[in-house]
């Protein structure tokens, strides 16, 4: 296990909570598996992934 700066850990946790809250409305219109795979893909590969097969939906 590695040590991590508590401030960095706090920012990571808060950004995760905030993004989970923000994605509620976006994910409500999609099947669960699709919403999870899209959201996880954005988190792991970023928005500039050339292999992304779906458009990023507009913000409401």
């Amino acid at each position: 296990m590695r040590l991590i700066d508590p401030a960095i850990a706090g920012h990571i946790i808060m950004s995760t909570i905030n993004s989970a809250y923000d994605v509620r409305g976006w994910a409500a219109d999609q099947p669960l598996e699709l919403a999870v795979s899209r959201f996880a893909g954005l988190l792991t590969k970023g928005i500039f992934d050339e292999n992304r097969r779906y458009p990023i939906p507009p913000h409401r």
Side-chain angles (χ1 to χ4, degrees), residues 2-12:
R2 280 190 197 174
L3 295 177
I4 186 168
D5 182 7
I8 294 173
H11 284 288
I12 292 170

Side-chain angles (χ1 to χ4, degrees), residues 18-29:
N18 286 337
S19 63
Y21 179 80
D22 290 341
V23 82
R24 287 182 317 151
W26 169 79
D29 299 335

Side-chain angles (χ1 to χ4, degrees), residues 7-60:
I8 294 173
H11 284 288
I12 292 170
I13 291 169
M14 286 304 299
S15 65
T16 303
I17 292 170
N18 286 337
S19 63
Y21 179 80
D22 290 341
V23 82
R24 287 182 317 151
W26 169 79
D29 299 335
Q30 303 175 45
L32 178 62
E33 290 181 13
L34 181 61
V36 169
S37 68
R38 285 181 174 177
F39 187 68
L42 289 172
L43 287 177
T44 59
K45 298 174 185 159
I47 61 172
F48 299 114
D49 180 24
E50 293 178 4
N51 297 321
R52 189 178 65 230
R53 296 187 190 118
Y54 50 85
I56 297 174
H59 189 336
R60 292 182 190 185

